[in-house]
Amino acid sequence: MMAGLYDRMGAIPIMQLRRIAHIWCVVAGLLFLAYLARQLRQGMTDGAGHPFGEDFLNFWSGAHLAVTGQAGIIYDLAAFHAFETGIANAPIDLYHYSYPPVMWLISAPFGLLPYPLAWAAWQLLGWGAFALAVRRLAPAQWLLVALAAPALFINAMGGQNGCWTAAIIGWGLILLRERPAVAGMILALFVVKPQLGWLIPLALLAGRQYRALAAFIGMALALILITLPLFGIDAWIAYVQQGSLLKSVILEHGDGTWHRMLSIFVLVRHGGAPIPLAYTAQAIASLTVALLVLRVWHREGPTARAKALLVLGALGGSLYVSDYDCVMVLLAALWLWPQATAQLRGRMALLLAMPLFAAPLALMSGVALGALALWPALLGAGLRHAPYLADDGFR
C-alpha cells in the first residue's frame, strides 16, 4: 500500500507539480503574513507567550549580548529570559540559547542591527543563500522551487536557521569538485550545529576529498580558537553545562518539542520506551547511516547520489533534528530526481511535504512520525544497486 502511494506521488506530471507549487506559494505567503500580524498583539508577542520572530529572538539576543560585552548571561537561563522579555516588551515563554560560542561570531552582524531589521535580514539573506544554491541545481525553475519547499514555511514562522544550514551544506557540496578548499571551509560552519555536521568529515575522508577535509578541519579549529581570547574558556564550559541540562529537559523528556522532531531517539521515546533503549535505537540508526554514507562516498566519490545521501544522512543520523532542518531536503531531491525511480521520487515528495503534517499528526497521535517519512527516502537513496551516474542536478 505504501509502495503504491510512493509510486503515485512520484508519477505526478511536472505541469501539475508546478500548479501545486504556485498555489502553495500564494497560500503560504498569506498564512505567513497573518502569522506575523498575530505576533504583534501585545508588545512584540502574540499575547500567549510567543515573541515576534519566535526562535530568532534567541539568535539575535545571543549575538547582541556577545557584541556588547554581555556574553556572560547568554547561558544563564534566568538572566537571558529577563533580557528577552525586555526586548519583547511583554511576558514570553522561557526561551534558551543552545548554540556554542562560535555562533556568536557568525551571527554578530545581526546583533548590531535593531531587532526587527535583523529579523528581516536573517530571513531574506538566509533564503537568498539557499535559493542561489537551488539555482545551481535547477536553473530553469529555481525561483519557484526555492519558494515552494514546505519546510521553508515552517522555518520562516519559527525564525530558525534551516535556510542557513541548507545553504551551507548546499554550497559546500556544489563547490566540492571545483573549489575543494573553499567547500571545506564552508562546510566547517557546521561546527555551530555538530549534531548535523558530524558525518561531513567522514564522508570527505571516505570520498578521498583530502583538500576539502583539511580545509574543514582547519576552519573548524580556527573558529573555535578565535572564540577563546574573545569570550574565554568559561563560555565553552557554560555551553557544555547548559547543553547537558537542555538534553535532559528537551530531548530526553520532551518538554514541548517532541512533536516537531524526526530522530529515531524521539520516535522510540515518544512511543513510551525508556531512555536507555531510545539511545540504543538511535545509536543503531546513526551507525546505519554512517555505514551507508561511507560506502557510497568510498565507491562513487561526490556524485549526485552521494551528495543527496549525505544530506539525508545528516538528518537521519542526528539525535536532535527538527522539521525546520528539512529545508535541505529540497537539495537532496534535486540531486536525486533526474535518475530516481518513481518510488524513490514518491518517497522524496512525501518527505518534502512532511514538515506540514508531521507535527500536527504527532500532537493528535502522541507519536512523532517524522522519522517514518525520512527513513524510507534515506534508505531508498542509499541502497540502490545500480550505478548512479547523474551529474549535479537539473540542466
Side-chain angles (χ1 to χ4, degrees), residues 18-385:
R18 289 176 183 168
R19 191 176 303 114
I20 293 171
H22 278 108
I23 294 171
W24 164 245
C25 286
V26 173
V27 171
L30 293 175
L31 289 174
F32 186 54
L33 291 176
Y35 182 77
L36 293 181
R38 192 181 70 178
Q39 286 188 309
L40 294 173
R41 286 180 177 175
Q42 181 180 349
M44 293 186 66
T45 79
D46 63 355
H50 303 286
F52 179 88
E54 289 281 356
D55 289 339
F56 177 68
L57 182 58
N58 290 332
F59 296 113
W60 182 86
S61 296
H64 181 78
L65 290 169
V67 299
T68 57
Q70 304 174 75
I73 71 173
I74 295 175
Y75 298 124
D76 182 328
L77 287 174
F80 192 68
H81 178 66
F83 174 81
E84 292 193 320
T85 300
I87 298 300
N89 197 29
I92 60 173
D93 295 337
L94 180 64
Y95 286 71
H96 56 79
Y97 198 90
S98 58
Y99 293 87
V102 171
M103 179 62 94
W104 307 345
L105 293 176
I106 296 173
S107 60
F110 298 98
L112 295 172
L113 298 174
Y115 180 72
L117 181 59
W119 172 85
W122 176 267
Q123 298 277 15
L124 292 174
L125 293 176
W127 177 81
F130 164 69
L132 290 176
V134 171
R135 186 180 183 183
R136 287 288 296 264
L137 304 181
Q141 298 288 333
W142 69 275
L143 185 58
L144 176 62
V145 172
L147 283 170
L152 184 73
F153 174 66
I154 302 300
N155 177 79
M157 286 203 307
Q160 266 292 343
N161 55 30
C163 282
W164 289 103
T165 53
I168 290 169
I169 200 167
W171 278 111
L173 294 178
I174 287 169
L175 296 175
L176 188 55
R177 287 189 184 276
E178 56 191 82
R179 303 188 68 181
V182 173
M185 294 172 68
I186 293 173
L187 291 170
L189 296 176
F190 269 97
V191 72
V192 300
K193 293 193 77 167
Q195 74 273 20
L196 293 183
W198 66 273
L199 266 175
I200 293 173
L202 298 180
L204 296 177
L205 179 62
R208 295 171 291 280
Q209 302 299 305
Y210 302 125
R211 289 181 62 191
L213 179 60
F216 178 97
I217 295 172
M219 184 66 170
L221 289 175
L223 288 171
I224 293 171
L225 292 175
I226 289 172
T227 66
L228 296 180
L230 293 176
F231 309 117
I233 191 65
D234 290 344
W236 283 93
I237 294 173
Y239 162 67
V240 172
Q241 291 173 339
Q242 175 137 312
S244 178
L245 172 64
L246 295 178
K247 182 186 73 169
S248 174
V249 174
I250 296 176
L251 184 64
E252 294 179 349
H253 296 94
D255 184 19
T257 60
W258 273 355
H259 64 288
R260 299 190 61 182
M261 300 183 73
L262 286 71
S263 70
I264 292 296
F265 176 92
V266 170
L267 176 65
V268 174
R269 190 81 179 92
H270 220 171
I275 293 174
L277 180 58
Y279 275 120
T280 301
Q282 182 61 55
I284 294 171
S286 298
L287 179 60
T288 300
V289 167
L291 292 175
L292 283 174
V293 170
L294 293 177
R295 175 177 173 270
V296 171
W297 275 75
H298 179 70
R299 290 187 175 186
E300 303 178 8
T303 60
R305 176 169 80 123
K307 295 173 183 179
L309 183 59
L310 179 56
V311 170
L312 297 178
L315 300 173
S318 176
L319 180 69
Y320 189 101
V321 58
S322 192
D323 48 9
Y324 55 77
D325 291 313
C326 290
V327 176
M328 65 177 69
V329 169
L330 178 62
L331 302 174
L334 293 175
W335 273 311
L336 285 173
W337 204 270
Q339 293 192 23
T341 63
Q343 186 177 15
L344 181 53
R345 287 182 177 184
R347 294 180 181 187
M348 291 304 301
L350 183 64
L351 178 55
L352 285 168
M354 176 271 297
L356 294 181
F357 63 78
L361 284 179
L363 290 173
M364 290 187 291
S365 67
V367 180
L369 301 172
L372 300 184
L374 171 59
W375 273 83
L378 193 161
L379 294 175
L383 293 177
R384 288 188 58 185
H385 298 294

